[in-house]
Amino acid sequence: MKKIKMFIPNDKTFAQGCEEYLDNCYARNLRDGTIKHYKESIQQIQKYVDEDMYIKDITKETFDNYIKALRNNANLNSVSIYTYSRDFKTILNFFMRQEYLPTFKIQLMKADKQPIETYSDSDLMKLLKKPNLKKCSFTEYKNWVMVNFLLSTGIRQRSLINIQVKDVDFDNEVVNINVTKNGKPLIIPLNSDIVRILKEYLKYRNGAPEDYLFCNVFGKQLTKSTVYHQIYEYNKSRGVEKTGLHRYRHTFAKKWVLMGGNVVTLQKILSHSSLEITQNYLNMLVSDIKEDIEEFNILREFKKESIKVHK
């Protein structure tokens, strides 16, 4: 016998439903960057799904045809296809929860994992060389401190620019991160080297407790674009062509693994919601880590010693 379902069809169009979904995003206080991402995804989806189509007429076949259309677009790689299809699924699941649409299962295709690039040891030697404080500008010095801080904490750019002077707890040697991707405050331990560097930096920064730790030359909060361009110029001035703040986060994770750090602790520091996310993160570092593993090849070293013994 079939169960009675309390599904009541409606006459909302896909465009109206998408607007309602974005209103829901605002109501949930999602980050501006996240909402902007969904707006861009909706524009992409509406290239293939008629915005005047009634939500009640959307079926699994609609979703499958959308995926086929994306895969036929030569300008989209597997990661882009996965992202757009995931966002469409998220919106459809919202419609199902609102009972605008009968529930049906949506299966996502897997995206090809792209290796994450990190800074090499030779890059790090150049980037971490301390500038001459008698000759360098405040911006260069501050960028050097930021690089040291990023490689010591692995935090995201948004968290970095929102740290206030008072958030650095020298007594307990931790930093309080109050602005995070998931909205949950985070406490990250600080190693003795970055503690020493920050203490010296604050003698020059000389800010009030409520001031931002990393600032422009006028002591004001840095913007994302300013940080990106300053790090780009800093890296270039050090002879490092690679750039990107997130690359420092990747490098932090890679070095943590190579130095025998605990993955569960790494998950907490990176502020990942689950260990699975951290594991996927590390899986994308495998090809990069493999090169370093060759340098610590125990079998090769043992083979050398064995040859010596038999000579």
Side-chain angles (χ1 to χ4, degrees), residues 130-182:
K130 187 175 181 179
N132 186 331
L133 299 189
K134 294 181 179 180
K135 298 180 179 180
C136 73
S137 65
F138 171 75
T139 297
E140 182 184 357
Y141 174 50
K142 179 255 307 177
N143 289 341
W144 176 77
V145 176
M146 276 203 309
V147 166
N148 278 268
F149 190 84
L150 288 166
L151 289 169
S152 296
T153 61
I155 65 171
R156 295 182 175 91
Q157 180 186 27
R158 185 164 178 262
S159 298
L160 178 78
I161 64 176
N162 281 286
I163 297 173
Q164 295 177 296
V165 173
K166 64 181 180 181
D167 294 329
V168 182
D169 182 349
F170 287 115
D171 291 334
N172 295 300
E173 297 189 340
V174 298
V175 58
N176 297 290
I177 310 298
N178 296 309
V179 178
T180 62
K181 186 176 181 179
N182 59 16

Side-chain angles (χ1 to χ4, degrees), residues 50 210 272 292:
D50 186 359
E210 292 75 22
H272 286 160
D292 295 88

Side-chain angles (χ1 to χ4, degrees), residues 27 30 42 44-45 83 94 99 155 159 163 173 201-202 210 243 263 266 275 283:
L30 297 187
I42 287 170
Q44 180 69 24
I45 294 167
T83 301
F94 171 75
E99 298 187 351
I155 65 171
S159 298
I163 297 173
E173 297 189 340
Y201 167 73
L202 285 173
E210 292 75 22
T243 190
V263 178
L266 178 62
L275 194 58
N283 286 343

Side-chain angles (χ1 to χ4, degrees), residues 5-190:
K5 295 182 179 180
M6 296 298 291
F7 170 69
I8 303 175
N10 70 89
D11 292 329
K12 280 185 184 287
T13 65
F14 182 63
Q16 291 171 331
C18 288
E19 284 299 317
E20 186 175 333
Y21 174 74
L22 290 175
D23 288 341
N24 180 263
C25 290
Y26 283 112
R28 287 185 288 143
N29 198 31
L30 297 187
R31 295 187 304 122
D32 291 340
T34 302
I35 294 174
K36 181 182 177 183
H37 167 80
Y38 279 124
K39 285 181 177 179
E40 292 172 350
S41 284
I42 287 170
Q43 290 177 351
Q44 180 69 24
I45 294 167
Q46 289 178 348
K47 291 179 182 178
Y48 303 96
V49 179
D50 186 359
E51 64 178 29
D52 294 323
M53 180 182 189
Y54 289 125
I55 295 175
K56 64 183 181 181
D57 294 331
I58 296 175
T59 64
K60 185 177 182 301
E61 186 179 4
T62 307
F63 182 84
D64 291 341
N65 288 336
Y66 172 68
I67 300 301
K68 289 177 184 176
L70 291 179
R71 297 181 75 170
N72 288 331
N73 187 333
N75 295 319
L76 298 177
N77 59 30
S78 66
V79 175
S80 297
I81 293 172
Y82 173 81
T83 301
Y84 289 133
S85 58
R86 180 197 61 197
D87 293 342
F88 191 20
K89 177 182 177 179
T90 300
I91 293 169
L92 293 182
N93 283 337
F94 171 75
F95 293 160
M96 292 174 193
R97 290 195 300 273
Q98 299 300 108
E99 298 187 351
Y100 298 157
L101 189 65
T103 300
F104 57 85
K105 190 173 182 180
I106 300 173
Q107 188 71 37
L108 295 178
M109 61 168 282
K110 291 186 178 180
D112 296 333
K113 301 287 186 182
Q114 298 296 321
I116 294 175
E117 286 193 66
T118 60
Y119 291 107
S120 66
D121 286 352
S122 60
D123 291 334
L124 294 175
M125 287 290 290
K126 298 172 184 176
L127 294 168
L128 291 173
K129 184 178 179 181
K130 187 175 181 179
N132 186 331
L133 299 189
K134 294 181 179 180
K135 298 180 179 180
C136 73
S137 65
F138 171 75
T139 297
E140 182 184 357
Y141 174 50
K142 179 255 307 177
N143 289 341
W144 176 77
V145 176
M146 276 203 309
V147 166
N148 278 268
F149 190 84
L150 288 166
L151 289 169
S152 296
T153 61
I155 65 171
R156 295 182 175 91
Q157 180 186 27
R158 185 164 178 262
S159 298
L160 178 78
I161 64 176
N162 281 286
I163 297 173
Q164 295 177 296
V165 173
K166 64 181 180 181
D167 294 329
V168 182
D169 182 349
F170 287 115
D171 291 334
N172 295 300
E173 297 189 340
V174 298
V175 58
N176 297 290
I177 310 298
N178 296 309
V179 178
T180 62
K181 186 176 181 179
N182 59 16
K184 297 178 181 178
L186 182 67
I187 299 176
I188 298 180
L190 298 174

Side-chain angles (χ1 to χ4, degrees), residues 182-237:
N182 59 16
K184 297 178 181 178
L186 182 67
I187 299 176
I188 298 180
L190 298 174
N191 62 57
S192 57
D193 290 300
I194 194 62
V195 166
R196 176 179 49 78
I197 289 170
L198 288 175
K199 283 182 177 179
E200 180 187 58
Y201 167 73
L202 285 173
K203 292 178 182 179
Y204 293 90
R205 168 68 180 86
N206 197 28
E210 292 75 22
D211 287 338
Y212 291 100
L213 180 64
F214 298 110
C215 59
N216 61 25
V217 291
F218 302 106
K220 302 301 180 182
Q221 184 182 22
L222 293 168
T223 63
K224 287 184 178 181
S225 59
T226 299
V227 174
Y228 173 82
H229 289 296
Q230 286 187 356
I231 290 296
Y232 172 80
E233 293 298 334
Y234 175 83
N235 286 14
K236 195 173 181 180
S237 69

